[in-house]
């Protein structure tokens, strides 16, 4: 079996050990090529090349951003049957890997993936896809966001660019500071549209989920749409007020939710949608799988059933 391991050269000691373990353990099972990323978007190119060159497997060693790029490379290759994907998580949140049931560290995940490879165990999961305006479509594995959460991602990326580590505490501190001093809390800009249904306007933010949870703060799941699942369509959580009271109630609901979506007078929920569009009166921040993708006036999201094979 021909396999490509896509890895970030700025690896942690744990991810380096996982990489060495994988290479040693797979010596007799895989014809393994190691490809290191050099810049943002490079994993897209590497995974696309692997699909075009007829590899059987792509292994993404990295965080959710690396996994997202690998997925987009595989599915944009035009290959009739793209390589399967294996995930070895070593990011700050690892939402996609954890939603799949993988351990939240690359060493343990490597052992699970190797067992699955040797047993020939695969799972086909659905994805989401987002098209901003008339721009190119991009796949996402677990979530997308328009509004406040994307603004927070933008600010965190700015901090990371200045050398700060993107741990959960940085996201929490940035979110609280930006909520009170950075975002527009008085004039809602968003409208949610769904084919065949009345539009829902006056929204400040929208979370689009392909699975549950939406993200993690350390080990704590954040769950605005707990019914979201890889085997269904997309779920949406949106809110009509950023007053402190309703916002705190929504955050508490996300942290406590297990089987029912967050409820509230100012909350909008959509479950199992094939397609939704978020339109904005002004350019609004947009993120996919935790990567900031600029400001846009409209983004259309669609569900892509049975999109990719995962070793699990």
């Amino acid at each position: 079996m021909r396999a490509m391991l896509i890895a970030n050269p700025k690896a942690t000691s744990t991810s380096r050990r996982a990489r060495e373990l994988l290479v040693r353990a797979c010596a007799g099972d895989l014809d393994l090529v190691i490809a290191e990323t050099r810049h943002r978007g490079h994993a897209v190119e590497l995974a696309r090349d692997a699909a075009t060159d007829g590899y059987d497997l792509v292994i993404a060693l990295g965080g959710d951003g690396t996994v997202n790029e690998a997925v987009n490379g595989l599915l944009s290759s035009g290959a009739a049957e793209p390589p399967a994907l294996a995930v070895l998580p070593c990011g700050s949140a690892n939402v996609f890997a954890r939603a799949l049931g993988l351990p939240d560290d690359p060493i343990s995940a490597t052992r699970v993936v190797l067992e699955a490879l040797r047993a020939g165990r695969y799972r086909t999961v659905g994805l989401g896809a987002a098209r901003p305006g008339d721009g190119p479509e991009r796949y996402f594995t677990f979530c997308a966001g328009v509004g406040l959460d994307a603004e927070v991602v933008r600010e965190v990326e700015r901090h990371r660019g200045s050398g700060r580590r993107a741990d959960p505490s940085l996201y929490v501190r940035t979110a609280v500071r930006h909520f009170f001093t950075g975002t527009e809390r008085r004039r809602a800009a968003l409208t949610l549209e769904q084919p065949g249904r009345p539009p829902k306007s006056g929204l400040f933010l929208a979370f689009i989920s392909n699975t549950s949870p939406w993200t993690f703060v350390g080990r704590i799941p954040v769950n605005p749409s707990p019914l979201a699942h890889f085997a269904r369509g997309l779920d949406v959580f949106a809110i009509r007020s950023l007053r402190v009271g309703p916002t705190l109630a929504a955050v508490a609901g996300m942290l406590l939710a297990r089987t029912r979506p967050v409820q509230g007078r100012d909350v909008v929920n959509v479950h199992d949608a094939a397609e939704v569009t978020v339109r904005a009166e002004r350019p609004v921040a947009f993120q996919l799988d935790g990567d900031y993708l600029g400001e846009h006036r409209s983004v259309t999201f669609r569900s892509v059933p049975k999109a990719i094979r995962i070793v699990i």
Side-chain angles (χ1 to χ4, degrees), residues 103-118:
D104 186 29
D105 76 270
I107 300 295
S108 300
T110 298
R111 296 190 180 100
V112 172
V113 166
L114 287 174
E115 290 173 4
L117 274 173
R118 288 165 180 159

Side-chain angles (χ1 to χ4, degrees), residues 23-67:
V23 171
R24 290 198 306 271
C26 291
D29 299 293
L30 299 177
D31 178 9
L32 186 65
V33 171
I34 297 175
E36 294 187 339
T37 58
R38 299 190 185 94
H39 52 79
R40 185 168 181 170
H42 195 197
V44 176
E45 302 167 15
L46 294 170
R48 186 184 296 129
D49 290 343
T52 302
D53 293 343
Y55 278 74
D56 303 296
L57 175 68
V58 165
I59 305 167
L61 175 62
D64 288 310
T66 301
V67 174

Side-chain angles (χ1 to χ4, degrees), residues 28 44 70 93 133-134 210 272 282:
V44 176
D134 56 358
N210 183 53
D272 195 18
R282 57 183 183 272

Side-chain angles (χ1 to χ4, degrees), residues 218-285:
R219 296 189 176 277
I220 302 172
V222 182
N223 236 346
S225 302
L227 298 179
H229 194 276
F230 291 125
R232 303 189 186 108
L234 301 175
D235 279 27
V236 182
F237 166 88
I239 193 167
R240 289 194 169 101
S241 173
L242 286 184
R243 298 192 309 276
V244 173
T247 303
L248 287 177
V251 171
M254 294 180 203
L255 297 175
L256 296 173
R258 293 295 180 268
T259 58
R260 294 177 67 246
V262 175
Q263 303 293 315
R265 184 179 62 184
D266 298 307
V267 170
V268 172
N269 291 300
V270 174
H271 174 58
D272 195 18
E275 180 179 304
V276 297
T277 297
V278 178
R279 300 196 187 277
E281 296 176 0
R282 57 183 183 272
V284 176

Side-chain angles (χ1 to χ4, degrees), residues 65-248:
T66 301
V67 174
N68 178 280
E69 289 191 8
V71 165
N72 276 276
L74 292 174
L75 297 182
S76 66
S77 66
E81 187 174 346
L85 176 70
V87 178
L88 303 181
C90 62
S92 59
N94 306 313
V95 180
F96 182 60
R98 292 159 82 173
L100 289 169
L102 281 168
D104 186 29
D105 76 270
I107 300 295
S108 300
T110 298
R111 296 190 180 100
V112 172
V113 166
L114 287 174
E115 290 173 4
L117 274 173
R118 288 165 180 159
R121 293 197 301 267
Y122 297 86
R123 176 183 174 188
T124 302
V125 303
L127 299 173
R131 184 185 298 278
D134 56 358
E137 187 172 66
R138 179 165 168 171
Y139 295 95
F140 61 99
T141 61
F142 62 93
C143 84
V146 181
L148 176 60
D149 77 309
E151 294 170 5
V152 172
V153 169
R154 179 184 63 204
E155 294 304 301
V156 168
E157 288 192 1
R158 184 173 60 82
H159 290 312
R160 292 178 67 183
S162 62
R164 297 179 68 178
R165 183 171 176 267
D167 56 18
S169 66
L170 177 60
Y171 279 93
V172 172
R173 292 195 309 272
T174 302
V176 171
R177 183 170 55 250
H178 192 74
F179 176 81
F180 285 106
T181 65
T183 196
E184 170 60 71
R185 295 169 54 201
R186 296 180 180 177
R187 186 166 63 91
L190 304 181
T191 297
L192 179 68
E193 300 175 355
Q194 194 175 358
R197 301 193 180 183
K200 299 175 174 67
S201 59
L203 307 175
F204 282 91
L205 59 82
F207 301 160
I208 296 87
S209 296
N210 183 53
T211 188
S212 175
W214 171 67
T215 191
F216 290 86
V217 178
R219 296 189 176 277
I220 302 172
V222 182
N223 236 346
S225 302
L227 298 179
H229 194 276
F230 291 125
R232 303 189 186 108
L234 301 175
D235 279 27
V236 182
F237 166 88
I239 193 167
R240 289 194 169 101
S241 173
L242 286 184
R243 298 192 309 276
V244 173
T247 303
L248 287 177

